[in-house]
Amino acid sequence: MNVASRIEFTTALPAFSPLLPPGSLIYSAVVIAQRFGGYPSRGLAMERVYGHRKGIASNLFGVGANNIARSYFADSLTPDQVLRQNTLFGFYALGLSKSVESKWAAQLKVGTSVRPAQYKRIYVPEAGALGLRWCSICACSDQLKLGFAAWRVIHQLPFIRSCSVHGVPLSVCCEDCKRPLDTGNQFRLPGESCTACGSARFTDLPATANKGYLSLISQCEDAFYTRSEKFRPNAWAELVKKFRASFDSPRTALEVLSDRIGTKWGVQSPDGVSEILLFPLDKYYVQSSLSGHTSSSSLVAQLIVLDAMYMGMPDGST
């Protein structure tokens, strides 16, 4: 590549970068950049947008956010906004203290960590374990409004199988060859034809009408977009303290919560929720969440317990 070409290569990206819908996965941006930015390889597109070409292209946690904010968004978004709006960091950071969140964000901005060492209960998907997921209605809506469909952050959470907005099961695999449309490296956008066989038909994840599950995915969406502070350690400790004070003993509070979860999810005990989610929860997740120590319970467990705490409260408060 000659000098003139290099100058064009390094300056062209902001000129064509389309705005992504709120909550779009940053991987959508690198796919668009590779297709329309004139890059001769996917690796060069990753290097330009992310500042590196390490790991899988889907970059679910936003490693290299400093470079992403500058190269793709031309500084119209800050690195913190990129992390919170366009990556799984925006969901999982809700359950962390401000200091842990800040330290983790600093690592991601310069490209050194996908999970904070202080918080092991953040699920990091294995490359290609299931494939990226999308809602067919969201994809069609994007196509009409933008001319392209974007991957959604919230749809990539490992326990999400339905779109909370449209209520339809998420798509993931080709109906003909059974391969995922994109495992994070195929540079595809939602609903495009299968790279393996060319089919445009896809199978959906198993649907569920379970009330607890439908409530959970709605809460996930709401927490992600509103940036809820309820799940941070200090706020959570105060919330469960107030709940426990409504009962004559911690044991009674635990029994009430367990009964409410069983009723909402239609299971005999809270342990049965894992089978409905198809996602493992800690055996003692209710006790851990009720203790007020968020480091010992995952954010999804907090969401399930919070929903049970609010059950029967007409004003939505415990």
Side-chain angles (χ1 to χ4, degrees):
M1 185 180 294
N2 59 36
V3 174
S5 297
R6 286 183 180 274
I7 293 174
E8 182 179 358
F9 169 79
T10 57
T11 59
L13 186 55
F16 74 89
S17 304
L19 292 177
L20 298 177
S24 297
L25 196 66
I26 196 63
Y27 178 49
S28 308
V30 80
V31 174
I32 293 167
Q34 192 273 330
R35 291 186 183 180
F36 305 113
Y39 300 115
S41 72
R42 294 172 178 177
L44 284 174
M46 287 177 63
E47 186 172 356
R48 178 66 176 115
V49 178
Y50 297 155
H52 64 86
R53 57 175 81 188
K54 302 174 183 177
I56 62 173
S58 56
N59 195 6
L60 296 178
F61 288 87
V63 175
N66 281 341
N67 196 84
I68 295 167
R70 180 176 59 254
S71 65
Y72 188 84
F73 294 102
D75 292 322
S76 62
L77 292 182
T78 66
D80 284 311
Q81 288 174 320
V82 170
L83 288 174
R84 290 171 182 158
Q85 296 178 22
N86 302 106
T87 78
L88 288 181
F89 171 93
F91 177 80
Y92 286 111
L94 297 175
L96 305 178
S97 67
K98 288 289 184 69
S99 61
V100 172
E101 178 190 21
S102 179
K103 184 175 181 179
W104 185 21
Q107 293 170 339
L108 288 169
K109 289 174 189 177
V110 298
T112 59
S113 175
V114 296
R115 175 171 53 191
Q118 305 95 319
Y119 199 84
K120 300 296 185 182
R121 300 191 65 79
I122 289 174
Y123 178 81
V124 179
E126 296 180 7
L130 181 62
L132 298 178
R133 302 178 290 283
W134 75 95
C135 164
S136 57
I137 299 178
C138 287
C140 288
S141 177
D142 285 351
Q143 284 285 357
L144 291 173
K145 293 178 182 178
L146 307 168
F148 66 92
W151 300 103
R152 295 289 195 273
V153 173
I154 207 72
H155 293 162
Q156 311 316 317
L157 292 173
F159 46 85
I160 298 291
R161 301 194 304 278
S162 302
C163 178
S164 64
V165 176
H166 301 110
V168 300
L170 300 180
S171 301
V172 63
C173 289
C174 173
E175 187 174 321
D176 295 332
C177 71
K178 311 305 178 186
R179 296 184 183 181
L181 172 63
D182 197 327
T183 59
N185 274 323
Q186 282 71 37
F187 279 66
R188 307 298 283 166
L189 292 174
E192 294 182 337
S193 59
C194 174
T195 55
C197 69
S199 173
R201 301 187 303 169
F202 301 95
T203 57
D204 298 331
L205 294 172
T208 177
N210 184 280
K211 292 181 179 179
Y213 172 77
L214 296 177
S215 179
L216 173 64
I217 63 175
S218 178
Q219 287 185 82
C220 289
E221 186 100 10
D222 182 69
F224 176 76
Y225 283 106
T226 62
R227 308 300 312 158
S228 176
E229 293 288 317
K230 295 177 182 177
F231 307 101
R232 295 195 186 278
N234 290 340
W236 182 257
E238 286 299 315
L239 195 155
V240 296
K241 179 182 178 181
K242 182 179 177 182
F243 178 80
R244 290 196 307 264
S246 303
F247 303 92
D248 56 13
S249 70
R251 181 176 179 177
T252 302
L254 176 60
E255 290 174 350
V256 169
L257 272 182
S258 297
D259 288 344
R260 290 181 180 181
I261 291 172
T263 299
K264 188 70 173 276
W265 288 79
V267 293
Q268 291 185 342
S269 74
D271 292 345
V273 173
S274 291
E275 296 181 11
I276 296 171
L277 281 183
L278 302 178
F279 180 77
L281 293 169
D282 183 80
K283 184 177 180 180
Y284 301 105
Y285 73 90
V286 181
Q287 294 95 316
S288 297
S289 298
L290 192 56
S291 73
H293 300 299
T294 58
S295 61
S296 60
S297 59
S298 61
L299 181 56
V300 64
Q302 289 177 261
L303 284 159
I304 293 168
V305 169
L306 181 68
D307 196 25
M309 290 167 64
Y310 281 177
M311 280 180 65
M313 302 296 175
D315 61 352
S317 62
T318 52

